[in-house]
Amino acid sequence: MLPPIYQLKRVALDLLFPPWCINCGREGNYICDSCRQLLSVITPPVCPRCGRPQAQGVLCPGCADWQAEIDGIRSPFLFDGVIRQAIHELKYRNLRALAPSLAGFLYGFILENPMPADVLVPVPIHRKRWRERGYNQSALLACELGKLSGLPVIENCLVRHRYAAPQARSASVIERQKNVTDAFTCVDERLQGKRVLLIDDVSTSGATLNTCARALKTAGAAAVWGLTLALEF
């Protein structure tokens, strides 16, 4: 449950600026009940590492030879349709008001699929991207999920110091991995001994989350799992 003051603020904002469904335009919610039924929900069994649907829950071919630093990646949805549109609106069209609704999906997922976590850490963006966009969509999701779950959110500990093109535009898994090699650094010891839940919007190859996990574990994190809204499949 949300704190009473937080709920009151949400009601007041909805009265002044009623949300419209990003998919069908119906007034009431950013993703209406009908359009929620269109979401491509990931159901078990899944690959225990990358979280993609996989028969019998064994390692998928892409993960069989992957020397992963991250303990696992999980997501409630496949990256298509309504959820793809929602992430696009949040990430590129400044619809930051979507963050609470999308974080609600993440919260519902971890209630049904508990993940080991002491803290939430958003995947950081480079300062150039910050200047272009004005915000980090993963940090918005992490902060809203923190309000729902009660888990603390730690920002500015994991930083991205090397700029690269968006992962979705990279041609191959190898190219995506090269894009993020040594791109992240953990700058202090706040996460030492902590079980970290990394928050991001989409996992494509898992390279970004894995590189973040390497930096966090180098700084002493006890475990690192990734939680994203969607998996590109």
Side-chain angles (χ1 to χ4, degrees), residues 12-204:
L13 285 173
D14 286 349
L15 287 172
L16 291 170
F17 308 102
W20 298 76
C21 179
I22 59 165
N23 187 57
C24 70
R26 184 178 301 163
E27 185 177 348
N29 294 293
Y30 287 112
I31 302 178
C32 71
D33 291 341
S34 295
C35 291
R36 286 179 182 232
Q37 302 305 311
L38 303 176
L39 296 171
S40 298
V41 177
I42 295 175
T43 56
V46 299
C47 171
R49 184 161 294 161
C50 71
R52 288 178 172 83
Q54 177 69 8
Q56 301 177 348
V58 297
L59 286 176
C60 69
C63 288
D65 297 321
W66 185 26
Q67 301 300 313
E69 297 287 346
I70 196 157
D71 293 286
I73 302 169
R74 296 292 183 270
S75 308
F77 307 113
L78 294 177
F79 186 52
D80 65 8
V82 176
I83 201 67
R84 177 191 286 267
Q85 185 176 354
I87 291 171
H88 183 88
E89 295 284 340
L90 172 67
K91 194 170 183 176
Y92 301 116
R93 303 193 68 179
N94 199 32
L95 189 55
R96 284 178 263 187
L98 254 174
S101 297
L102 297 180
F105 290 137
L106 294 177
Y107 183 55
F109 180 81
I110 61 175
L111 285 179
E112 294 184 3
N113 305 273
M115 303 175 72
D118 301 312
V119 296
L120 304 176
V121 174
V123 170
I125 59 176
H126 191 270
R127 58 182 177 275
K128 179 180 178 181
R129 187 76 64 204
W130 179 274
R131 288 195 297 268
E132 293 170 352
R133 192 175 298 158
Y135 60 95
N136 176 3
Q137 74 283 349
S138 299
L140 295 179
L141 292 171
C143 288
E144 294 298 333
L145 181 57
K147 294 173 185 176
L148 294 169
S149 66
L151 289 170
V153 179
I154 297 183
E155 296 186 65
N156 305 319
C157 179
L158 181 66
V159 299
R160 180 164 193 158
H161 55 80
R162 188 161 66 81
Y163 181 80
Q167 289 289 71
R169 298 178 189 170
S170 300
S172 68
V173 171
I174 293 175
E175 191 174 341
R176 290 169 180 172
Q177 291 171 344
K178 288 181 179 178
N179 268 348
V180 294
T181 299
D182 299 324
F184 300 91
T185 302
C186 198
V187 297
D188 58 44
E189 298 180 349
R190 281 179 289 168
L191 298 173
Q192 189 167 9
K194 302 290 187 183
R195 297 173 300 171
V196 176
L197 188 57
L198 271 171
I199 306 299
D200 207 358
D201 51 357
V202 182
S203 175
T204 50

